[in-house]
Amino acid sequence: MDTKTRKRSLRKELNSAINALSHDEVQRQSSILKQEVLNHPKYLQAKSVSIYLSFDKEIQTGEILEDIFRSGKICFIPRFRAGSSEMEMIKLCSLDDYANLPVNKWNIKQPLDDEERVSVFDTGSLDLVLTPGLGFTKDGKRLGRGKGYYDGFLAKCSRELKKRPFTLGLAFKEQIVPDIPTTDTDIHIDEVLYADG
């Protein structure tokens, strides 16, 4: 079976496992990981953090987002442009800024395409990327949702930033698998945090 087919069947399997999680279980595991992130040395040292804005069946990042602003870090969030396979990381100014963002077709908050925002690449540095995914191995292989947004963004970070940011994957324990088929364009994550790990 080729890599593409293996990835497709693994995505199906993982989607079923994640969709079966109850609201309470999502909250329980998210709460454990929130503490792990907030106490993580890479988070504590980071001056700038890129964070994904979670939807229902992902590790919830709302309280981490609040802490980023509370602790005076610079915050970046993803912006997906319609019809493009590129994802930008753009600056979020405050929790009020977050509250006022419109939602995109995936029901995730993000600034409008034509709104001028500072990007990570305008600033030249990023310390930490909190990375979502559909599946992970304990040693950092990652399976995304198939669009290559994060792989493309992290590859660009390696090329364009002075120092590559540290990547921290956030996962439910149900998202940890023994192996993930990868290709040359799949980027390994530095460390994966998962509940009950």
Side-chain angles (χ1 to χ4, degrees):
M1 206 189 310
D2 69 354
T3 302
K4 209 172 180 173
T5 314
R6 282 163 60 210
K7 281 185 173 183
R8 195 178 305 130
S9 96
L10 186 54
R11 280 196 183 97
K12 214 169 165 174
E13 233 173 86
L14 285 161
N15 270 317
S16 302
I18 295 164
N19 287 331
L21 292 173
S22 68
H23 174 75
D24 288 351
E25 185 58 14
V26 167
Q27 296 305 322
R28 184 187 78 80
Q29 293 195 39
S30 294
S31 178
I32 292 169
L33 282 205
K34 176 199 79 177
Q35 277 316 121
E36 285 197 26
V37 170
L38 299 191
N39 295 323
H40 196 286
K42 292 290 184 187
Y43 177 78
L44 293 168
Q45 292 158 12
K47 291 185 173 63
S48 54
V49 179
S50 133
I51 186 170
Y52 66 93
L53 303 178
S54 49
F55 52 85
D56 316 346
K57 297 286 172 123
E58 281 184 312
I59 292 292
Q60 300 298 293
T61 57
E63 291 183 18
I64 302 172
L65 183 71
E66 288 170 15
D67 190 82
I68 289 174
F69 286 109
R70 207 171 28 240
S71 52
K73 300 179 190 300
I74 298 168
C75 181
F76 292 94
I77 57 166
R79 173 160 66 184
F80 306 94
R81 286 191 183 275
S84 158
S85 61
E86 235 183 75
M87 169 184 80
E88 300 174 283
M89 278 294 169
I90 52 181
K91 189 172 175 184
L92 187 66
C93 301
S94 64
L95 288 171
D96 282 349
D97 186 13
Y98 168 73
N100 293 319
L101 291 178
V103 295
N104 66 12
K105 65 176 182 185
W106 297 291
N107 209 25
I108 301 170
K109 284 175 168 277
Q110 76 166 31
L112 296 170
D113 278 3
D114 56 4
E115 189 184 324
E116 281 294 314
R117 290 264 175 167
V118 171
S119 130
V120 156
F121 300 109
D122 297 330
T123 67
S125 76
L126 178 61
D127 298 321
L128 176 66
V129 181
L130 298 176
T131 316
L134 201 51
F136 295 92
T137 61
K138 290 178 183 176
D139 65 352
K141 288 182 182 173
R142 173 183 171 273
L143 181 71
R145 295 176 188 276
K147 296 271 194 265
Y149 287 128
Y150 271 86
D151 291 319
F153 170 70
L154 293 172
K156 192 172 177 182
C157 285
S158 293
R159 289 193 308 270
E160 297 195 14
L161 298 179
K162 293 186 214 41
K163 188 168 151 276
R164 199 178 70 82
F166 189 85
T167 48
L168 201 52
L170 304 186
F172 298 112
K173 63 174 192 266
E174 289 76 7
Q175 291 176 283
I176 301 298
V177 293
D179 194 31
I180 290 173
T182 55
T183 63
D184 295 347
T185 56
D186 292 318
I187 304 263
H188 267 56
I189 299 301
D190 293 315
E191 188 183 339
V192 180
L193 295 182
Y194 56 100
D196 311 333

